[in-house]
Amino acid sequence: VSVRGTGDQDAHLQTLGPGAFFGEMSLLAGDHRAATVRAAEDCELVVIGKPALAAVFERQPGFVQEISDIVASRQAELATRLAQLPDAAASQKEPLLTRVKRYFGMD
């Protein structure tokens, strides 16, 4: 996982392993991607779209809080790493849970 730093240089943020996920902010809140993920070797990916996740949230409404907590923790960790990079991405002012609920029409 990397982000574009100063002078068009990619800054490595982290390496994902088996079972890891990415793209959660686009899926959960409709955000534009903030990082680039490249596979170092052949891998299998599972793509989960908004309709599939909406069905899960409908059957298990408490899961939206659970997944938002996990992702918020992950964002905090990445924000710490990003803060060390020049031209770091700005943090979101609105709480993640609020954005997720709005995106899935759960207000």
Side-chain angles (χ1 to χ4, degrees):
V1 180
S2 62
V3 292
R4 184 67 55 161
T6 304
D8 287 337
Q9 296 293 321
D10 286 343
H12 180 265
L13 292 178
Q14 71 182 126
T15 300
L16 304 175
F21 61 91
F22 59 91
E24 66 274 7
M25 294 315 302
S26 291
L27 176 61
L28 293 174
D31 291 357
H32 295 287
R33 75 177 176 88
T36 298
V37 178
R38 289 186 182 91
E41 57 188 56
D42 288 345
C43 58
E44 290 186 35
L45 301 175
V46 175
V47 177
I48 300 171
K50 182 180 177 184
L53 191 57
V56 171
F57 287 161
E58 188 175 313
R59 286 190 307 273
Q60 298 179 22
F63 185 60
V64 71
Q65 177 70 53
E66 202 173 318
I67 195 73
S68 293
D69 289 346
I70 292 167
V71 173
S73 174
R74 186 174 182 178
Q75 279 190 306
E77 181 183 333
L78 287 175
T80 299
R81 291 180 185 165
L82 285 172
Q84 299 167 352
L85 300 173
D87 299 330
S91 62
Q92 296 288 336
K93 292 182 180 180
E94 189 176 28
L96 175 61
L97 180 59
T98 302
R99 292 172 31 230
V100 172
K101 284 185 173 182
R102 181 179 56 247
Y103 186 64
F104 280 89
M106 299 172 72
D107 290 336

